Amino acid sequence: MDFTDDQLMRYSRHIILPEVGGKGQAKIAKAKVFIIGAGGLGCPVGYYLTAAGVGTIALIDNDTVEMSNLQRQIAHSVQTIGMPKVESAKKTFEALNPDVNVVAIQKRISKDNIIDLIRDYDIVVDGSDNFPTRYLVNDACFMARKPLVTGAILRFEGQVTTILPGDGPCYRCLFEEPPPPGLVPSCQEAGVLGVLPGVIGGLQATEVLKLILGKGDVLKGELLMYNALKTTFRKVRVPKNPSCPLCGAKPSITELIDYNEGYCAM
Amino acid sequence: MEQTIPDKKINIKGLVCPYTFVKAKLAIESMEVGQILEILLDYEEASRSIPKSMEDHGQKVLKVEKVSDTDWVLQIRKDKD
């Protein structure tokens, strides 16, 4: 890839790294990443991947920007209140790096559209805030054989893991089924420290870049848990479940499921 | 001193760090192992930092020579892909 002078300057700190170089930066420029949710996690993930020069970044979210988002959703601003979150984030990302093609999809992701939506992308990032979506994304990425970097946050705690198709456990190996509605509170009910999605989203973006570059070790078969109050990181090994209903030897889940009833809106 | 004929030459006069190394590194990346890159530069700091960084990256520095009041010539052999 031939870099323009602006690109040489913009990506110089990457190009200098032995693990990246011009070849790695060219891989980043060719990569296509699909981000689910333009909220607490989607904003920093998309923002850093934009800064890194990822060629195409799709964002899907059905919501509009509200004042209560601004404590943590760093791609939005008072100027974009009322605007679809994906449009607000697209504006912010394009201002940061015009090299990046930002695809804004103002839709709710569902079992009927997810496979088509992620088809052309290399990596999927889950930044959703609810269990129906988390399971839908896990199942769809398994079926479509897409690497998935999933993150979750609540109060002062967050977690990240990377799920590779056909290699290691999936999210259902960890938790077979979503918890019953109401058992796990949402951020809306329980609160979240505004900076927490920055930490977790930053980790997710890092996982994505390592997948693109093919360098380092990703969180395959491992769940990384961060406690912001205690400032602790804990890595838990997650074994593949041979009787996993999705990726096990005799799967009972062979088509996508919408668990939406009983859960609050995304 | 034995004269080595470079496989590729770049002129990065007028550039300062880190672009001096960025240009040198991109040039080395595009070459084959065993080939030699010659770099002409006029930024004194880069006459020290490029050889050091190239060695850190596993390449072999063959020559660092001040050729005029303002210019340096470096020769680097690509040892590592």
Side-chain angles (χ1 to χ4, degrees):
Chain A
M1 163 175 182
D2 288 325
F3 296 100
T4 63
D5 283 350
D6 276 354
Q7 287 171 331
L8 280 185
M9 285 191 257
R10 182 185 286 274
Y11 305 119
S12 59
R13 267 61 170 181
H14 266 171
I15 294 169
I16 286 170
L17 290 170
E19 292 80 0
V20 184
K23 287 176 187 166
Q25 191 61 47
K27 283 186 190 172
I28 295 172
K30 275 199 225 97
K32 299 177 85 176
V33 178
F34 194 94
I35 303 174
I36 292 152
L41 294 170
C43 285
V45 172
Y47 218 164
Y48 269 113
L49 294 182
T50 298
V54 168
T56 304
I57 297 175
L59 272 171
I60 185 165
D61 199 307
N62 201 31
D63 280 353
T64 51
V65 178
E66 293 173 29
M67 186 62 90
S68 65
N69 302 146
L70 303 185
Q71 161 255 23
R72 65 197 178 285
Q73 300 184 14
I74 56 167
H76 312 311
S77 73
V78 283
Q79 270 90 43
T80 63
I81 286 175
M83 193 187 276
K85 281 186 181 176
V86 289
E87 293 299 336
S88 166
K90 180 180 162 81
K91 233 172 94 147
T92 305
F93 297 168
E94 284 175 347
L96 173 62
N97 189 350
D99 289 349
V100 176
N101 171 29
V102 183
V103 182
I105 308 164
Q106 196 200 356
K107 274 186 188 157
R108 168 175 276 282
I109 203 151
S110 74
K111 69 180 170 68
D112 301 317
N113 63 16
I114 187 166
I115 297 285
D116 279 341
L117 287 167
I118 65 175
R119 178 165 292 134
D120 292 336
Y121 290 83
D122 306 314
I123 299 166
V124 177
V125 178
D126 187 9
S128 68
D129 62 354
N130 64 86
F131 288 102
T133 306
R134 193 175 305 283
Y135 281 81
L136 176 67
V137 172
N138 174 68
D139 296 357
C141 285
F142 173 78
M143 290 173 189
R145 300 189 62 80
K146 301 287 179 187
L148 167 64
V149 181
T150 185
I153 49 167
L154 190 68
R155 297 190 181 113
F156 291 93
E157 285 173 75
Q159 44 183 247
V160 192
T161 188
T162 295
I163 298 163
L164 302 180
D167 183 12
C170 78
Y171 198 76
R172 284 186 189 272
C173 292
L174 185 59
F175 308 110
E176 261 186 42
E177 294 284 323
L183 184 73
V184 179
S186 67
C187 289
Q188 209 174 327
E189 296 157 349
V192 58
L193 189 73
V195 71
L196 181 64
V199 176
I200 300 300
L203 289 166
Q204 285 181 285
T206 311
E207 291 288 289
V208 169
L209 288 176
K210 288 187 297 180
L211 286 172
I212 294 170
L213 293 168
K215 297 286 179 186
D217 303 310
V218 292
L219 287 165
K220 181 190 83 173
E222 291 176 321
L223 184 71
L224 180 66
M225 298 192 289
Y226 170 62
N227 183 317
L229 268 188
K230 295 180 180 162
T231 320
T232 52
F233 279 97
R234 207 151 68 90
K235 237 186 196 182
V236 180
R237 266 183 39 79
V238 181
K240 190 170 163 63
N241 175 5
S243 55
C244 172
L246 181 70
C247 71
K250 288 180 192 150
S252 57
I253 297 166
T254 52
E255 54 184 54
L256 296 174
I257 307 165
D258 265 333
Y259 288 103
N260 265 309
E261 288 82 51
Y263 286 91
C264 64
M266 191 166 153
Chain B
M1 193 180 163
E2 193 189 335
Q3 286 298 307
T4 315
I5 298 166
D7 298 282
K8 185 177 181 132
K9 289 183 178 186
I10 57 169
N11 179 346
I12 54 170
K13 285 174 66 164
L15 289 182
V16 298
C17 292
Y19 309 113
T20 44
F21 183 58
V22 168
K23 287 276 192 189
K25 193 179 169 200
L26 288 173
I28 277 276
E29 269 188 21
S30 71
M31 296 166 63
E32 305 294 327
V33 169
Q35 290 190 322
I36 292 163
L37 172 68
E38 186 170 285
I39 305 165
L40 176 64
L41 58 92
D42 62 1
Y43 185 65
E44 185 184 3
E45 193 188 323
S47 71
R48 294 185 297 272
S49 63
I50 290 179
K52 186 179 179 306
S53 300
M54 284 293 179
E55 286 192 336
D56 288 348
H57 286 222
Q59 316 306 351
K60 175 77 180 164
V61 179
L62 301 178
K63 181 163 98 177
V64 178
E65 191 180 331
K66 189 157 194 220
V67 292
S68 72
D69 285 351
T70 55
D71 298 354
W72 284 260
V73 167
L74 315 180
Q75 281 191 349
I76 316 284
R77 188 180 70 215
K78 179 166 179 171
D79 278 8
K80 194 179 161 193
D81 205 5

